Amino acid sequence: MKIQQQQCDFLILGSGIAGLTFALKVAAHGRVCIVTKKHRAESNTNYAQGGIAAVTSKEDSFEMHVKDTLEAGAGLCNEDVVRTIIQEGPARIADLIALGMKFTEREVPRSRGAKELDLGREGGHSKRRILHAKDVTGREVERALLAAAATQPNIEISEDHFGIDLITSHKLKLGGPNRCLGAYVFDKKNQRVLTFCARNTLLATGGCGKVYLYTTNPDIATGDGVAMAYRAGAAVANMEFVQFHPTCLYHPKAKSFLISEAVRGEGAVLKTIEGAEFMDSYHPLKSLAPRDVVARAIDSEMKRSGADHVLLDITHRPARFTMERFPNIYATCLQYGIDITKEPIPVVPAAHYQCGGVLTTVDGETEIAGLYAVGEVACTGLHGANRLASNSLLEALVCAHRAAHRVIDHPLPPLKGEIAEWQSGNATNADELVVVSHNWDEIRRLMWDYVGIVRTNKRLQRARKRIENLQAEIQDYYWDFVVTGDLLELRNIATVAELIVLSALQRPESRGLHYNLDFSSPAPEWAQRDTILRKQLS
Ligand code: SIN
C-alpha cells in the first residue's frame, strides 16, 4: 500500500453544517482540508427536514426557548451552554442568510406584500420558532454552504476519504500532554492510506443512527468521530441518550425516510391502525408531546396490539396546504403509493439522534489539545437527557463559529518531528467478507432488541456480553486484513454500541431518553451527572 503525507492547518472530518461552517470561518487563516466519506453533500445535515430553532419573532423570547430546552433535557442540560447557544442563535442565522441560505418566507398579515421568515412548530416548543426551507431545510443548508466553500481557494474537499484513526502524540510516544496531530485517512478510490498532518483537527462526523437496525439516518451515520476520539483517549459523555424519532415511514421499500415532526406541528394526529387516537392517554400535549414520550407511547401501543406500525393522519388539513408545506414528504410518500392528503401515513419510531458524544466545551474543545468536535458528534451539554427538536442545527452553527474563533485566537505551536506513517502490518486481502456483513447485522439487531426505546438491566447485560465477543472478533479481523470502508464502519459501530451499553448500565435511573424498566423514575442524585467514559491508554 502506498503512503502519502498531506500538511494542513485545519483538518476537518465531515462535510455537514458543522464542518463547512467551521471551514468557512477559518479559511482566511490557512490551508483547510475537508475529508468526507462519500459525496460532499452526503451528510446527516442534508437529510434534516424540520429546520433550525432560533428566537426571531416578537412573540418569542430567549427565556422561553431556554425553558423549553431545559424541560426537554430533563435535568441534565448545562444551563450556561443552553443560554449561550440560544442567545447567539439569531446572529448565526443572519450569517447563514448572508451566505445565501434561503429560508421559507410568508407574507406579513395586512402588510401589502411584505415578507417575514415563516416559523414552524415542533414538539416541546412553546412557540413557533423553527426556521425552515419547506421540508428540505438540510438540503438547502448544504447547498448554500457548499456553494460558499467552492469560492474559497484555501478549502479543499476530498470525497470518498474515510478517517481511520486520529494521530496523537500519545500514540507516537512523543511525551507531554496528549495532542492531536492529524489523522490517518483511507482514500477509497485509490485504496491507499494517507497521513494528514494538521495543527488543528475538527471532528464533524455527525451521529450514529446506523448502530440500530431501524434509523432515520443515512448510511454514513456510523459514529466514526465518537469511536475515533474514544480510541485516542478523549472523554465521551452521555451516550445512553439516543433519541428515537417517533415517525419514520413504514414501508417495505422505504429506507430510513423521516416524516418530520413539523407535520404534527401542523396538526397531524397519531392513531392506531384501527384509527383510534391514543396520545391523549399519554400526555396533555397529545401528538405534540416531547419526542421521548411520543416514541414510548407508540412502542407501547405497538406492543399492546401486536401491530407493526401506527398511523399519522394529516388528511383533515387542506390538500393544497400539505402539498406546499411538505413537498418532499408528499412526493416521497406518493412514490410508495401513499397520498398523504387522502390517507394516513404508516409510521414507526426509529433511531434518530445521538444526544451524547465527545465531551466538549461550548467552543468545541475536547480533552485532547488540537482536537475539536462540533455538531452531533459532540456533547456540549445543550441537549441533556433529551434534545429539543431542531436545536441541533442551531448548536452546530453556534459552536462551529465559536470553535473557529477559539483556534484562531489561541493558535497551537507548529508540529515538530516526523509523524510515523500508517502501519498495515502483514495484511492480505480479506476473503471472508461474510464476517463483516454478519457482525454488522448482529450489532444493529441486538442494539434494537436490547438497547432500544425501553431497556432493562438484563437486556443491557446480555447486549454487553454479545458486544464484547463481537469486539474481540472484529479486532482479530481488523488486524489480519487490509482496511476497507465496510470494516472501518463495522469497527466504529461496534465501539459506539459498546459505549451506549456501558453508559446505559452506569445510569441507575430512567431519565429523558434513557428508559429502564428496572428503575421507573429519575433519581435526584443523578440529575446534573454526566456519564463519562474514557479509554485507558496503554
Ligand atoms: C424533524 O423534522 O422531525 C426532525 C427535526 C429534528 O430532529 O430536529
Side-chain angles (χ1 to χ4, degrees), residues 50-96:
I52 311 181
V55 176
T56 59
S57 105
K58 286 201 281 296
E59 277 98 70
D60 199 1
S61 70
F62 291 142
E63 221 34 63
M64 283 191 253
H65 191 177
V66 167
K67 184 167 174 284
D68 293 344
T69 301
L70 295 177
E71 239 166 69
L76 215 63
C77 300
N78 176 327
E79 188 167 337
D80 290 342
V81 168
V82 171
R83 287 187 183 280
T84 302
I85 291 176
I86 285 174
Q87 285 168 8
E88 292 185 11
R92 301 292 73 84
I93 295 288
D95 292 350
L96 197 55

mmCIF file of all heavy atoms in Angstrom, residues 50-96:
data_model
loop_
_atom_site.group_PDB
_atom_site.id
_atom_site.type_symbol
_atom_site.label_atom_id
_atom_site.label_comp_id
_atom_site.label_asym_id
_atom_site.label_seq_id
_atom_site.Cartn_x
_atom_site.Cartn_y
_atom_site.Cartn_z
ATOM 1 N N GLY A 50 -36.984 19.243 9.445
ATOM 2 C CA GLY A 50 -37.683 20.244 10.253
ATOM 3 C C GLY A 50 -37.096 21.628 10.137
ATOM 4 O O GLY A 50 -37.726 22.537 9.590
ATOM 5 N N GLY A 51 -35.882 21.833 10.627
ATOM 6 C CA GLY A 51 -35.277 23.133 10.488
ATOM 7 C C GLY A 51 -34.343 23.509 11.612
ATOM 8 O O GLY A 51 -33.735 22.654 12.245
ATOM 9 N N ILE A 52 -34.245 24.833 11.845
ATOM 10 C CA ILE A 52 -33.321 25.367 12.845
ATOM 11 C C ILE A 52 -34.137 26.183 13.839
ATOM 12 O O ILE A 52 -34.815 27.145 13.463
ATOM 13 C CB ILE A 52 -32.247 26.271 12.199
ATOM 14 C CG1 ILE A 52 -31.597 25.575 10.988
ATOM 15 C CG2 ILE A 52 -31.204 26.677 13.236
ATOM 16 C CD1 ILE A 52 -30.505 26.368 10.302
ATOM 17 N N ALA A 53 -34.051 25.790 15.122
ATOM 18 C CA ALA A 53 -34.800 26.525 16.147
ATOM 19 C C ALA A 53 -34.008 27.772 16.525
ATOM 20 O O ALA A 53 -32.827 27.674 16.862
ATOM 21 C CB ALA A 53 -34.983 25.628 17.373
ATOM 22 N N ALA A 54 -34.635 28.937 16.446
ATOM 23 C CA ALA A 54 -33.959 30.176 16.889
ATOM 24 C C ALA A 54 -35.026 31.219 17.180
ATOM 25 O O ALA A 54 -36.108 31.215 16.567
ATOM 26 C CB ALA A 54 -33.001 30.684 15.826
ATOM 27 N N VAL A 55 -34.693 32.114 18.097
ATOM 28 C CA VAL A 55 -35.663 33.138 18.510
ATOM 29 C C VAL A 55 -35.583 34.301 17.517
ATOM 30 O O VAL A 55 -34.592 35.023 17.483
ATOM 31 C CB VAL A 55 -35.351 33.615 19.941
ATOM 32 C CG1 VAL A 55 -36.274 34.742 20.349
ATOM 33 C CG2 VAL A 55 -35.467 32.443 20.906
ATOM 34 N N THR A 56 -36.619 34.430 16.697
ATOM 35 C CA THR A 56 -36.603 35.514 15.702
ATOM 36 C C THR A 56 -37.922 36.286 15.676
ATOM 37 O O THR A 56 -38.068 37.204 14.875
ATOM 38 C CB THR A 56 -36.349 34.957 14.270
ATOM 39 O OG1 THR A 56 -37.385 34.021 13.964
ATOM 40 C CG2 THR A 56 -35.006 34.284 14.135
ATOM 41 N N SER A 57 -38.886 35.906 16.529
ATOM 42 C CA SER A 57 -40.159 36.619 16.433
ATOM 43 C C SER A 57 -40.435 37.406 17.716
ATOM 44 O O SER A 57 -39.917 37.070 18.787
ATOM 45 C CB SER A 57 -41.305 35.625 16.156
ATOM 46 O OG SER A 57 -42.067 35.408 17.309
ATOM 47 N N LYS A 58 -41.278 38.436 17.569
ATOM 48 C CA LYS A 58 -41.565 39.301 18.723
ATOM 49 C C LYS A 58 -42.332 38.554 19.826
ATOM 50 O O LYS A 58 -42.239 38.891 20.992
ATOM 51 C CB LYS A 58 -42.381 40.505 18.263
ATOM 52 C CG LYS A 58 -41.539 41.514 17.483
ATOM 53 C CD LYS A 58 -42.157 42.877 17.458
ATOM 54 C CE LYS A 58 -43.276 43.048 16.457
ATOM 55 N NZ LYS A 58 -43.098 42.941 15.056
ATOM 56 N N GLU A 59 -43.089 37.532 19.390
ATOM 57 C CA GLU A 59 -43.864 36.776 20.399
ATOM 58 C C GLU A 59 -43.011 35.807 21.207
ATOM 59 O O GLU A 59 -43.473 35.213 22.165
ATOM 60 C CB GLU A 59 -44.954 35.931 19.724
ATOM 61 C CG GLU A 59 -46.209 36.677 19.412
ATOM 62 C CD GLU A 59 -46.222 37.107 17.964
ATOM 63 O OE1 GLU A 59 -46.359 36.228 17.108
ATOM 64 O OE2 GLU A 59 -46.078 38.325 17.705
ATOM 65 N N ASP A 60 -41.758 35.630 20.754
ATOM 66 C CA ASP A 60 -40.895 34.628 21.390
ATOM 67 C C ASP A 60 -39.842 35.338 22.249
ATOM 68 O O ASP A 60 -39.697 36.572 22.191
ATOM 69 C CB ASP A 60 -40.199 33.814 20.281
ATOM 70 C CG ASP A 60 -39.647 32.480 20.759
ATOM 71 O OD1 ASP A 60 -39.814 32.166 21.935
ATOM 72 O OD2 ASP A 60 -39.055 31.770 19.923
ATOM 73 N N SER A 61 -39.109 34.596 23.063
ATOM 74 C CA SER A 61 -38.020 35.204 23.841
ATOM 75 C C SER A 61 -36.943 34.153 24.104
ATOM 76 O O SER A 61 -37.218 32.946 24.074
ATOM 77 C CB SER A 61 -38.544 35.725 25.176
ATOM 78 O OG SER A 61 -38.874 34.631 26.013
ATOM 79 N N PHE A 62 -35.716 34.618 24.373
ATOM 80 C CA PHE A 62 -34.634 33.693 24.736
ATOM 81 C C PHE A 62 -35.055 32.867 25.948
ATOM 82 O O PHE A 62 -34.809 31.669 26.024
ATOM 83 C CB PHE A 62 -33.352 34.459 25.072
ATOM 84 C CG PHE A 62 -32.709 35.125 23.870
ATOM 85 C CD1 PHE A 62 -32.122 36.374 23.990
ATOM 86 C CD2 PHE A 62 -32.671 34.490 22.640
ATOM 87 C CE1 PHE A 62 -31.521 36.986 22.899
ATOM 88 C CE2 PHE A 62 -32.064 35.086 21.532
ATOM 89 C CZ PHE A 62 -31.491 36.342 21.669
ATOM 90 N N GLU A 63 -35.693 33.557 26.909
ATOM 91 C CA GLU A 63 -36.074 32.882 28.148
ATOM 92 C C GLU A 63 -37.004 31.687 27.856
ATOM 93 O O GLU A 63 -36.855 30.615 28.451
ATOM 94 C CB GLU A 63 -36.762 33.900 29.062
ATOM 95 C CG GLU A 63 -36.419 33.842 30.521
ATOM 96 C CD GLU A 63 -34.975 33.441 30.837
ATOM 97 O OE1 GLU A 63 -34.010 34.129 30.486
ATOM 98 O OE2 GLU A 63 -34.863 32.373 31.454
ATOM 99 N N MET A 64 -37.957 31.892 26.930
ATOM 100 C CA MET A 64 -38.894 30.792 26.617
ATOM 101 C C MET A 64 -38.167 29.629 25.931
ATOM 102 O O MET A 64 -38.430 28.463 26.215
ATOM 103 C CB MET A 64 -40.023 31.294 25.718
ATOM 104 C CG MET A 64 -41.065 32.090 26.475
ATOM 105 S SD MET A 64 -42.512 32.374 25.433
ATOM 106 C CE MET A 64 -42.293 34.097 25.078
ATOM 107 N N HIS A 65 -37.244 29.973 25.027
ATOM 108 C CA HIS A 65 -36.506 28.904 24.323
ATOM 109 C C HIS A 65 -35.609 28.158 25.327
ATOM 110 O O HIS A 65 -35.510 26.927 25.295
ATOM 111 C CB HIS A 65 -35.681 29.514 23.178
ATOM 112 C CG HIS A 65 -35.098 28.513 22.228
ATOM 113 N ND1 HIS A 65 -34.385 28.864 21.123
ATOM 114 C CD2 HIS A 65 -35.118 27.151 22.232
ATOM 115 C CE1 HIS A 65 -33.988 27.764 20.483
ATOM 116 N NE2 HIS A 65 -34.414 26.711 21.135
ATOM 117 N N VAL A 66 -34.991 28.906 26.248
ATOM 118 C CA VAL A 66 -34.157 28.264 27.278
ATOM 119 C C VAL A 66 -35.022 27.320 28.107
ATOM 120 O O VAL A 66 -34.658 26.162 28.355
ATOM 121 C CB VAL A 66 -33.494 29.339 28.185
ATOM 122 C CG1 VAL A 66 -32.901 28.698 29.444
ATOM 123 C CG2 VAL A 66 -32.420 30.108 27.418
ATOM 124 N N LYS A 67 -36.192 27.803 28.515
ATOM 125 C CA LYS A 67 -37.071 26.990 29.379
ATOM 126 C C LYS A 67 -37.474 25.682 28.658
ATOM 127 O O LYS A 67 -37.420 24.602 29.251
ATOM 128 C CB LYS A 67 -38.310 27.824 29.737
ATOM 129 C CG LYS A 67 -39.255 27.169 30.687
ATOM 130 C CD LYS A 67 -40.266 28.192 31.216
ATOM 131 C CE LYS A 67 -41.326 27.538 32.074
ATOM 132 N NZ LYS A 67 -42.328 26.805 31.315
ATOM 133 N N ASP A 68 -37.860 25.807 27.393
ATOM 134 C CA ASP A 68 -38.262 24.608 26.631
ATOM 135 C C ASP A 68 -37.102 23.617 26.521
ATOM 136 O O ASP A 68 -37.286 22.396 26.623
ATOM 137 C CB ASP A 68 -38.733 24.983 25.218
ATOM 138 C CG ASP A 68 -40.029 25.798 25.241
ATOM 139 O OD1 ASP A 68 -40.702 25.809 26.291
ATOM 140 O OD2 ASP A 68 -40.352 26.429 24.215
ATOM 141 N N THR A 69 -35.889 24.155 26.281
ATOM 142 C CA THR A 69 -34.712 23.285 26.116
ATOM 143 C C THR A 69 -34.396 22.567 27.428
ATOM 144 O O THR A 69 -34.120 21.358 27.447
ATOM 145 C CB THR A 69 -33.497 24.130 25.663
ATOM 146 O OG1 THR A 69 -33.840 24.772 24.433
ATOM 147 C CG2 THR A 69 -32.254 23.283 25.458
ATOM 148 N N LEU A 70 -34.449 23.315 28.552
ATOM 149 C CA LEU A 70 -34.149 22.705 29.856
ATOM 150 C C LEU A 70 -35.191 21.662 30.221
ATOM 151 O O LEU A 70 -34.867 20.607 30.773
ATOM 152 C CB LEU A 70 -34.086 23.778 30.955
ATOM 153 C CG LEU A 70 -32.953 24.813 30.833
ATOM 154 C CD1 LEU A 70 -33.060 25.848 31.958
ATOM 155 C CD2 LEU A 70 -31.587 24.155 30.850
ATOM 156 N N GLU A 71 -36.438 21.950 29.886
ATOM 157 C CA GLU A 71 -37.506 20.996 30.209
ATOM 158 C C GLU A 71 -37.313 19.683 29.451
ATOM 159 O O GLU A 71 -37.403 18.598 30.022
ATOM 160 C CB GLU A 71 -38.853 21.612 29.849
ATOM 161 C CG GLU A 71 -39.756 21.708 31.073
ATOM 162 C CD GLU A 71 -40.922 22.615 30.804
ATOM 163 O OE1 GLU A 71 -41.800 22.231 29.997
ATOM 164 O OE2 GLU A 71 -40.917 23.717 31.385
ATOM 165 N N ALA A 72 -37.024 19.817 28.134
ATOM 166 C CA ALA A 72 -36.791 18.602 27.341
ATOM 167 C C ALA A 72 -35.583 17.852 27.892
ATOM 168 O O ALA A 72 -35.587 16.626 27.984
ATOM 169 C CB ALA A 72 -36.560 18.961 25.876
ATOM 170 N N GLY A 73 -34.553 18.567 28.291
ATOM 171 C CA GLY A 73 -33.280 17.953 28.730
ATOM 172 C C GLY A 73 -33.362 17.228 30.048
ATOM 173 O O GLY A 73 -32.390 16.570 30.461
ATOM 174 N N ALA A 74 -34.495 17.330 30.738
ATOM 175 C CA ALA A 74 -34.801 16.519 31.935
ATOM 176 C C ALA A 74 -33.726 16.586 33.029
ATOM 177 O O ALA A 74 -33.330 15.559 33.587
ATOM 178 C CB ALA A 74 -35.051 15.060 31.518
ATOM 179 N N GLY A 75 -33.249 17.806 33.298
ATOM 180 C CA GLY A 75 -32.340 17.983 34.441
ATOM 181 C C GLY A 75 -30.886 17.715 34.130
ATOM 182 O O GLY A 75 -30.055 17.694 35.035
ATOM 183 N N LEU A 76 -30.565 17.525 32.867
ATOM 184 C CA LEU A 76 -29.161 17.192 32.559
ATOM 185 C C LEU A 76 -28.484 18.214 31.638
ATOM 186 O O LEU A 76 -27.328 18.028 31.238
ATOM 187 C CB LEU A 76 -29.107 15.801 31.913
ATOM 188 C CG LEU A 76 -27.890 14.960 32.252
ATOM 189 C CD1 LEU A 76 -27.835 14.649 33.733
ATOM 190 C CD2 LEU A 76 -27.903 13.671 31.455
ATOM 191 N N CYS A 77 -29.199 19.294 31.285
ATOM 192 C CA CYS A 77 -28.561 20.299 30.419
ATOM 193 C C CYS A 77 -27.583 21.135 31.246
ATOM 194 O O CYS A 77 -27.766 21.305 32.446
ATOM 195 C CB CYS A 77 -29.588 21.274 29.839
ATOM 196 S SG CYS A 77 -30.849 20.505 28.839
ATOM 197 N N ASN A 78 -26.603 21.704 30.563
ATOM 198 C CA ASN A 78 -25.726 22.690 31.183
ATOM 199 C C ASN A 78 -26.340 24.053 30.860
ATOM 200 O O ASN A 78 -26.328 24.502 29.710
ATOM 201 C CB ASN A 78 -24.323 22.553 30.582
ATOM 202 C CG ASN A 78 -23.368 23.604 31.101
ATOM 203 O OD1 ASN A 78 -23.756 24.728 31.395
ATOM 204 N ND2 ASN A 78 -22.114 23.231 31.212
ATOM 205 N N GLU A 79 -26.914 24.696 31.867
ATOM 206 C CA GLU A 79 -27.718 25.899 31.591
ATOM 207 C C GLU A 79 -26.902 27.025 30.958
ATOM 208 O O GLU A 79 -27.402 27.764 30.098
ATOM 209 C CB GLU A 79 -28.406 26.380 32.881
ATOM 210 C CG GLU A 79 -29.388 27.484 32.595
ATOM 211 C CD GLU A 79 -30.335 27.801 33.734
ATOM 212 O OE1 GLU A 79 -30.569 26.938 34.604
ATOM 213 O OE2 GLU A 79 -30.844 28.938 33.730
ATOM 214 N N ASP A 80 -25.636 27.180 31.348
ATOM 215 C CA ASP A 80 -24.808 28.240 30.735
ATOM 216 C C ASP A 80 -24.657 27.992 29.233
ATOM 217 O O ASP A 80 -24.733 28.906 28.419
ATOM 218 C CB ASP A 80 -23.407 28.273 31.369
ATOM 219 C CG ASP A 80 -23.456 28.771 32.801
ATOM 220 O OD1 ASP A 80 -24.479 29.397 33.172
ATOM 221 O OD2 ASP A 80 -22.504 28.505 33.551
ATOM 222 N N VAL A 81 -24.421 26.720 28.895
ATOM 223 C CA VAL A 81 -24.263 26.372 27.474
ATOM 224 C C VAL A 81 -25.578 26.628 26.728
ATOM 225 O O VAL A 81 -25.604 27.191 25.635
ATOM 226 C CB VAL A 81 -23.825 24.884 27.345
ATOM 227 C CG1 VAL A 81 -23.931 24.397 25.912
ATOM 228 C CG2 VAL A 81 -22.412 24.707 27.886
ATOM 229 N N VAL A 82 -26.689 26.244 27.357
ATOM 230 C CA VAL A 82 -28.004 26.444 26.729
ATOM 231 C C VAL A 82 -28.200 27.937 26.436
ATOM 232 O O VAL A 82 -28.580 28.324 25.319
ATOM 233 C CB VAL A 82 -29.128 25.916 27.657
ATOM 234 C CG1 VAL A 82 -30.503 26.294 27.134
ATOM 235 C CG2 VAL A 82 -29.016 24.401 27.821
ATOM 236 N N ARG A 83 -27.918 28.778 27.415
ATOM 237 C CA ARG A 83 -28.126 30.228 27.235
ATOM 238 C C ARG A 83 -27.214 30.780 26.138
ATOM 239 O O ARG A 83 -27.642 31.550 25.282
ATOM 240 C CB ARG A 83 -27.864 30.980 28.551
ATOM 241 C CG ARG A 83 -28.962 30.757 29.556
ATOM 242 C CD ARG A 83 -28.854 31.584 30.808
ATOM 243 N NE ARG A 83 -29.957 31.177 31.663
ATOM 244 C CZ ARG A 83 -31.220 31.607 31.535
ATOM 245 N NH1 ARG A 83 -31.516 32.513 30.631
ATOM 246 N NH2 ARG A 83 -32.184 31.143 32.302
ATOM 247 N N THR A 84 -25.946 30.367 26.163
ATOM 248 C CA THR A 84 -25.003 30.879 25.154
ATOM 249 C C THR A 84 -25.498 30.531 23.751
ATOM 250 O O THR A 84 -25.549 31.385 22.863
ATOM 251 C CB THR A 84 -23.600 30.257 25.390
ATOM 252 O OG1 THR A 84 -23.195 30.591 26.709
ATOM 253 C CG2 THR A 84 -22.595 30.744 24.382
ATOM 254 N N ILE A 85 -25.842 29.264 23.556
ATOM 255 C CA ILE A 85 -26.207 28.816 22.201
ATOM 256 C C ILE A 85 -27.494 29.506 21.746
ATOM 257 O O ILE A 85 -27.599 29.986 20.606
ATOM 258 C CB ILE A 85 -26.305 27.274 22.151
ATOM 259 C CG1 ILE A 85 -24.890 26.697 22.316
ATOM 260 C CG2 ILE A 85 -26.962 26.801 20.855
ATOM 261 C CD1 ILE A 85 -24.803 25.184 22.377
ATOM 262 N N ILE A 86 -28.458 29.607 22.645
ATOM 263 C CA ILE A 86 -29.737 30.212 22.246
ATOM 264 C C ILE A 86 -29.565 31.709 21.986
ATOM 265 O O ILE A 86 -30.079 32.253 21.000
ATOM 266 C CB ILE A 86 -30.801 29.894 23.313
ATOM 267 C CG1 ILE A 86 -31.194 28.428 23.148
ATOM 268 C CG2 ILE A 86 -32.018 30.827 23.210
ATOM 269 C CD1 ILE A 86 -32.122 27.876 24.195
ATOM 270 N N GLN A 87 -28.789 32.378 22.817
ATOM 271 C CA GLN A 87 -28.629 33.835 22.631
ATOM 272 C C GLN A 87 -27.814 34.176 21.387
ATOM 273 O O GLN A 87 -28.018 35.209 20.766
ATOM 274 C CB GLN A 87 -27.996 34.452 23.875
ATOM 275 C CG GLN A 87 -29.013 34.539 25.011
ATOM 276 C CD GLN A 87 -28.404 34.864 26.354
ATOM 277 O OE1 GLN A 87 -27.230 35.177 26.462
ATOM 278 N NE2 GLN A 87 -29.204 34.777 27.398
ATOM 279 N N GLU A 88 -26.878 33.297 21.012
ATOM 280 C CA GLU A 88 -26.062 33.600 19.822
ATOM 281 C C GLU A 88 -26.736 33.117 18.531
ATOM 282 O O GLU A 88 -26.249 33.407 17.434
ATOM 283 C CB GLU A 88 -24.674 32.959 19.973
ATOM 284 C CG GLU A 88 -23.881 33.634 21.086
ATOM 285 C CD GLU A 88 -22.449 33.137 21.233
ATOM 286 O OE1 GLU A 88 -21.960 32.417 20.356
ATOM 287 O OE2 GLU A 88 -21.838 33.504 22.250
ATOM 288 N N GLY A 89 -27.855 32.405 18.683
ATOM 289 C CA GLY A 89 -28.524 31.837 17.512
ATOM 290 C C GLY A 89 -28.883 32.857 16.430
ATOM 291 O O GLY A 89 -28.514 32.683 15.260
ATOM 292 N N PRO A 90 -29.577 33.944 16.789
ATOM 293 C CA PRO A 90 -30.000 34.865 15.743
ATOM 294 C C PRO A 90 -28.838 35.431 14.911
ATOM 295 O O PRO A 90 -28.953 35.578 13.684
ATOM 296 C CB PRO A 90 -30.717 35.973 16.530
ATOM 297 C CG PRO A 90 -31.206 35.278 17.781
ATOM 298 C CD PRO A 90 -30.148 34.266 18.107
ATOM 299 N N ALA A 91 -27.688 35.693 15.545
ATOM 300 C CA ALA A 91 -26.538 36.231 14.796
ATOM 301 C C ALA A 91 -26.019 35.186 13.807
ATOM 302 O O ALA A 91 -25.647 35.515 12.670
ATOM 303 C CB ALA A 91 -25.435 36.637 15.768
ATOM 304 N N ARG A 92 -26.027 33.923 14.222
ATOM 305 C CA ARG A 92 -25.513 32.869 13.320
ATOM 306 C C ARG A 92 -26.494 32.604 12.178
ATOM 307 O O ARG A 92 -26.101 32.246 11.068
ATOM 308 C CB ARG A 92 -25.253 31.566 14.100
ATOM 309 C CG ARG A 92 -24.259 31.680 15.244
ATOM 310 C CD ARG A 92 -22.818 31.946 14.787
ATOM 311 N NE ARG A 92 -22.553 33.289 14.292
ATOM 312 C CZ ARG A 92 -22.261 34.356 15.048
ATOM 313 N NH1 ARG A 92 -22.214 34.246 16.353
ATOM 314 N NH2 ARG A 92 -22.012 35.535 14.478
ATOM 315 N N ILE A 93 -27.788 32.761 12.455
ATOM 316 C CA ILE A 93 -28.790 32.629 11.375
ATOM 317 C C ILE A 93 -28.559 33.748 10.368
ATOM 318 O O ILE A 93 -28.605 33.541 9.143
ATOM 319 C CB ILE A 93 -30.225 32.725 11.957
ATOM 320 C CG1 ILE A 93 -30.508 31.542 12.898
ATOM 321 C CG2 ILE A 93 -31.278 32.832 10.861
ATOM 322 C CD1 ILE A 93 -30.702 30.208 12.233
ATOM 323 N N ALA A 94 -28.264 34.943 10.873
ATOM 324 C CA ALA A 94 -28.005 36.075 9.966
ATOM 325 C C ALA A 94 -26.782 35.778 9.101
ATOM 326 O O ALA A 94 -26.775 36.055 7.887
ATOM 327 C CB ALA A 94 -27.797 37.356 10.787
ATOM 328 N N ASP A 95 -25.728 35.165 9.684
ATOM 329 C CA ASP A 95 -24.536 34.781 8.888
ATOM 330 C C ASP A 95 -24.940 33.834 7.755
ATOM 331 O O ASP A 95 -24.468 33.951 6.625
ATOM 332 C CB ASP A 95 -23.520 33.995 9.741
ATOM 333 C CG ASP A 95 -22.861 34.830 10.823
ATOM 334 O OD1 ASP A 95 -23.034 36.058 10.825
ATOM 335 O OD2 ASP A 95 -22.174 34.217 11.681
ATOM 336 N N LEU A 96 -25.799 32.868 8.112
ATOM 337 C CA LEU A 96 -26.183 31.847 7.132
ATOM 338 C C LEU A 96 -26.993 32.481 5.988
ATOM 339 O O LEU A 96 -26.792 32.152 4.810
ATOM 340 C CB LEU A 96 -27.019 30.778 7.863
ATOM 341 C CG LEU A 96 -27.218 29.436 7.209
ATOM 342 C CD1 LEU A 96 -25.891 28.776 6.837
ATOM 343 C CD2 LEU A 96 -28.001 28.499 8.143
#
